Amino acid sequence: MAQEARKAKVNALSVELKLLRRGLGIQTKNLSDVVGEGLREVCDVHNDDSPGTMRGKVVETLRRLIEKLPESHRETARIVLGFGTGANERYTQRLELLSMGADRNVRTMQRRADDVIYLIAEAAYGAPSPFGGAAATSGLGPWHTSALAVRLTLSDGGAEVFETRRVVSHVAGLVEVEHAVSFARPASTGQLDLSDVGIDVVAGGEVHSVRLVSSSRVAFSLRPPQPLDAGDEHEFFFRIRVDAMRAPFYCCTPEFPCESFDLNVRFDRRKPPSRVWRIDGDLSKDADDPLLARKPLFLDNAGEVRSGFRDLRPARSYGIGWQPNSDAAASAGIGHTH
């Protein structure tokens, strides 16, 4: 029932956003006349807000929601809603602009516009809103991650991960945080060997109940020193060691919303990758696809590369992928869920 209710909200918000995109979009003079009840709730618009305050909340919320989309959809979403376009360019003119840029007909761009509108509505009910309101509490579990920082070091075919995670409790008496790490499935045995994985808490509590929950997924629990009340923040610092890694990427694929994720990868300088790219909001099944168009990243003089992400959407993948040199063995591959 909760899933059906969420889908109904997404569909209703999609309808409102399609009304908003008409004419001049977010540049419409009387914006309050076209902002529906669902969008007001998502943007935490109050009845006593001035027109300027309401416009600011709507514009900023939509900007942040667009940033949650995969890179390939963001520019379409901006133009569809009227961000950065001419002051008098109406919706049909913006569609024509999109169709010329993509070498597609207007009907095709209309379908794409409908798709990105739905993705924006979906994002609105999958991550915290900057102003609170419905999106700040909708879809959240017993906790969420306010900040995640990962340092990954690759060497001799294995990897060492140092993860600092700050969580925020949504319930009273939170005694443990469930966590999981997915690895590329071994080609030989078809199942991960737990003896190849080491998980240790360095600070902030203890780890327990390490278990294999699928052929490639290891789950475990993080226990803080004392139960957390609703609104309490707590930081864990732990290490994961893997003897043999099998796919060239590292991703965070959150189960619950994650406000920020900063990733630093240090490559073996004797075997630098031939290409490195940013994975930003992809479907988990596409995270290791080297053919998708993505933003390139470049190693510094220490053989490191880093990237940051904000307002991660649940069930989407964020991280760094790379192509090993042809003379190098297969490197690390971890997909996080939390």
Side-chain angles (χ1 to χ4, degrees):
M1 292 298 293
Q3 187 70 15
E4 292 178 3
R6 177 181 178 276
K7 187 174 181 180
K9 284 191 171 186
V10 170
N11 288 335
L13 184 58
S14 296
V15 172
E16 291 187 19
L17 290 172
K18 287 177 182 178
L19 292 174
L20 175 64
R21 77 186 179 189
R22 292 179 178 177
L24 301 179
I26 53 97
Q27 299 187 52
T28 296
K29 181 178 179 181
N30 297 316
L31 191 63
S32 59
D33 294 340
V34 292
V35 174
E37 181 180 340
L39 189 56
R40 286 173 178 268
E41 185 180 28
V42 164
C43 301
D44 197 32
V45 172
H46 303 292
N47 292 334
D48 57 352
D49 283 344
S50 68
T53 298
M54 186 213 67
R55 182 180 293 274
K57 287 183 175 182
V58 172
V59 168
E60 180 59 23
T61 300
L62 289 175
R63 283 187 191 278
R64 290 172 64 95
L65 291 174
I66 289 171
E67 286 303 309
K68 295 177 176 61
L69 303 183
E71 288 186 57
S72 58
H73 294 310
R74 291 176 194 165
E75 187 61 21
T76 299
R78 294 186 186 102
I79 293 175
V80 163
L81 289 174
F83 285 94
T85 57
N88 296 311
E89 287 185 349
R90 305 185 71 79
Y91 177 57
T92 53
Q93 294 173 296
R94 301 198 301 273
L95 275 185
E96 291 172 358
L97 176 66
L98 281 172
S99 65
M100 289 187 292
D103 194 23
R104 296 289 189 273
N105 60 43
V106 172
R107 183 174 295 179
T108 297
M109 298 317 301
Q110 176 67 65
R111 289 196 297 269
R112 290 191 181 180
D114 289 344
D115 289 342
V116 298
I117 286 294
Y118 186 85
L119 290 175
I120 292 170
E122 196 176 51
Y125 290 103
S129 162
F131 301 106
T137 56
S138 175
L140 298 186
W143 55 272
H144 80 275
T145 299
S146 61
L148 171 63
V150 171
R151 295 187 66 87
L152 168 65
T153 301
L154 307 173
S155 62
D156 298 325
E160 192 167 35
V161 179
F162 290 94
E163 177 173 314
T164 302
R165 180 183 296 273
R166 186 183 309 124
V167 301
V168 180
S169 174
H170 301 159
V171 298
L174 183 69
V175 295
E176 60 185 32
V177 172
E178 290 297 318
H179 194 57
V181 182
S182 297
F183 301 87
R185 184 175 286 106
S188 56
T189 64
Q191 180 169 310
L192 184 70
D193 189 341
L194 271 180
S195 64
D196 292 336
V197 182
I199 303 171
D200 305 295
V201 171
V202 179
E206 60 180 348
V207 63
H208 67 94
S209 303
V210 180
R211 69 265 187 205
L212 196 63
V213 294
S214 76
S215 59
S216 59
R217 181 176 169 88
V218 177
F220 55 96
S221 299
L222 294 167
R223 181 178 293 158
Q226 59 189 25
L228 305 178
D229 286 330
D232 284 353
E233 293 192 11
H234 184 73
E235 192 167 273
F236 294 100
F237 177 35
F238 59 94
R239 176 178 61 177
I240 301 174
R241 301 181 315 283
V242 183
D243 294 337
M245 307 299 293
R246 300 166 183 86
F249 66 97
Y250 185 103
C251 284
C252 171
T253 307
E255 178 181 354
F256 303 132
C258 177
E259 295 179 32
S260 72
F261 170 42
D262 293 294
L263 173 61
N264 186 101
V265 181
R266 183 179 181 89
F267 292 93
D268 188 336
R269 298 183 69 179
R270 298 167 298 175
K271 302 174 183 178
S274 59
R275 187 166 66 96
V276 185
W277 57 85
R278 175 182 166 97
I279 300 169
D280 192 355
D282 290 353
L283 296 171
S284 58
K285 65 183 179 63
D286 295 333
D288 60 345
D289 189 338
L291 299 182
L292 294 179
R294 294 192 178 100
K295 179 181 178 180
L297 299 174
F298 303 95
L299 275 63
D300 62 18
N301 293 334
E304 298 183 7
V305 66
R306 58 194 56 82
S307 199
F309 307 87
R310 299 296 177 268
D311 297 323
L312 283 65
R313 295 173 56 195
R316 296 282 181 166
S317 293
Y318 304 82
I320 292 173
W322 59 91
Q323 182 175 338
N325 277 318
S326 57
D327 59 347
S331 299
I334 305 178
H336 261 265
T337 60
H338 64 282

